[in-house]
Each structure stands twice: as structure tokens, then as C-alpha cells.
Amino acid sequence: MNRMIDEPLERLRAAARRTRELALTRVSTGLGHEDADADADDDVGTIGTDGALGFDPFPLLEALHRHGVRAVVIGQVAGIMHGSAELTGDLDLLWDGEPVHAPALAAAFMSLGARLTDETGIPLATAPEALLRPKVQFTAPGASGDCCTPALPWADLNVREILGRAVTAYDPGGLEVHYVSREDLIRMRRALGRPKDLRRADELDRLA
């Protein structure tokens, strides 16, 4: 009999394992999470990209926790933590964009040897000032994705308020992971309006 998984971090660990298993025999295609994001008609998401190969968000989540960074998980990883059954191959983050918090965020990325690029793929130094952009893309061991600030337009949503309403998951080892609330994730999905976002918003509605 299968044990029901009802804790956010347990759900995420199980989903990451399943993603790695599904991608185990796949060859690299050269497609990254930015390719899925750029395709307005994409209805699959990053599970079909190279991000799914060896996907494990926990090294970065643990680094953020160690460095005292309050970065909020958004996107489908947050969806999984709320109970979504759809898998993903990337990890998207939202932080407050305040310069005083940038050094700790940069230190967390540097501790893993993460690489940063701008939205066009141009490499950036893994330094505090680079992270002050509205959005940078990162590649770290186990996970890649977007790291965004409230300066990134998100339709008419007040992103700072979304940050303030984030919830926190805890595990017995002391790890804390902040993630967007279910209601705000639904709003963010509907604001983006892509087929996969609308489908995932509907799924989250049904999970209420």
C-alpha cells in the first residue's frame, strides 16, 4: 500500500525523484527552461527540457537556507508543494530585490558554483549587483531557473504583497523553504495565461 504524501517538502522530494527517473534514459536535447518559457504555445513545461536531467532543487534550497536568504519558490515547484501532480524541470525564485539582501543571495549561488545569465543568455558575474536585475537566469547543480524581483512586471499583480503572503515549509532537519501561497500562485498562473499555466491554475483550484 502506498503511503500518502501530504507534506510540501515530501511531495517535492518525491516529484524530483520521479522527474529524474523519467529523464534517466533521455539524451540531452540542448533545450533549457528558457526555451519552454519562450514558447507561448507550450503546454508541457520544462519536464521536456534538459533541466529535467538530474533535477534536484534541494541543494540550492538548502544553500539559500544556510545563507539566510528569504527567496520564495514560485512556478511549478510551488505548485507541486501545493499538491499539483505535474512534474517540472526547473526552479523559479522570487526575492525582494533589496540591495542589502543581494550579497547573501549571491553567496548562496556562489557556494554551489552557479552560473548566471541575463534574459538573452549573456553571462553575468555571480555578484550582488547582477541579481538586482528584474530577472536573471541561473544554472546550479541540480536545478536551473529564473530568479526574479518585484521589478519584473506581472500583469497587474502586486508582487511585493505576494512575497509578504508567502508560506513556509519545514522539515525535521531544520530546512525552511518559503513558497508562494496557493491563491497567489493561481493568480500568477492566470496572469501569464499560457495553456500550461491555465491548466495548472485549474488544477490548483480543484485542490482547494
Side-chain angles (χ1 to χ4, degrees):
M1 181 175 180
N2 291 330
R3 183 169 67 91
M4 181 177 292
I5 297 173
D6 58 4
E7 295 296 330
L9 294 177
E10 286 188 58
R11 290 191 197 111
L12 181 54
R13 286 191 174 93
R17 283 195 300 270
R18 181 62 177 149
T19 297
R20 293 193 297 271
E21 290 167 359
L22 289 173
L24 193 59
T25 58
R26 256 183 24 208
V27 297
S28 174
T29 63
L31 295 176
H33 76 279
E34 65 278 5
D35 297 299
D37 288 343
D39 185 355
D41 296 323
D42 172 60
D43 64 356
V44 175
T46 54
I47 187 64
T49 70
D50 285 356
L53 305 176
F55 179 65
D56 183 359
F58 281 92
L60 181 53
L61 294 175
E62 290 163 357
L64 294 170
H65 176 70
R66 284 196 305 273
H67 287 83
V69 178
R70 194 179 189 281
V72 172
V73 175
I74 58 175
Q76 187 54 13
V77 166
I80 289 166
M81 294 177 74
H82 284 295
S84 172
E86 289 199 30
L87 301 177
T88 187
D90 69 352
L91 171 65
D92 293 327
L93 302 170
L94 177 66
W95 68 293
D96 64 13
E98 296 295 333
V100 68
H101 298 144
L105 180 56
F109 279 126
M110 286 189 288
S111 73
L112 297 178
R115 302 188 308 276
L116 303 182
T117 66
D118 68 11
E119 291 188 69
T120 66
I122 295 175
L124 300 170
T126 308
E129 55 270 22
L131 293 163
L132 298 177
R133 295 165 177 259
K135 181 173 81 171
V136 298
Q137 296 171 342
F138 66 85
T139 302
S144 60
D146 297 331
C147 185
C148 309
T149 77
L152 183 70
W154 212 295
D156 60 350
L157 298 181
N158 187 320
V159 178
R160 288 199 178 275
E161 290 184 358
I162 288 173
L163 273 172
R165 290 191 293 264
V167 293
T168 304
Y170 306 86
D171 79 359
L175 174 64
E176 298 181 10
V177 176
H178 310 292
Y179 61 113
V180 66
S181 73
R182 186 185 63 83
E183 295 79 8
D184 282 327
L185 183 55
I186 291 171
R187 294 185 187 101
M188 296 172 88
R189 291 294 195 200
R190 297 208 185 283
L192 288 172
R194 297 170 298 189
K196 64 182 178 184
D197 292 301
L198 297 177
R199 182 183 67 247
R200 290 168 174 175
D202 289 342
E203 181 192 25
L204 290 170
D205 265 332
R206 292 193 298 271
L207 292 170

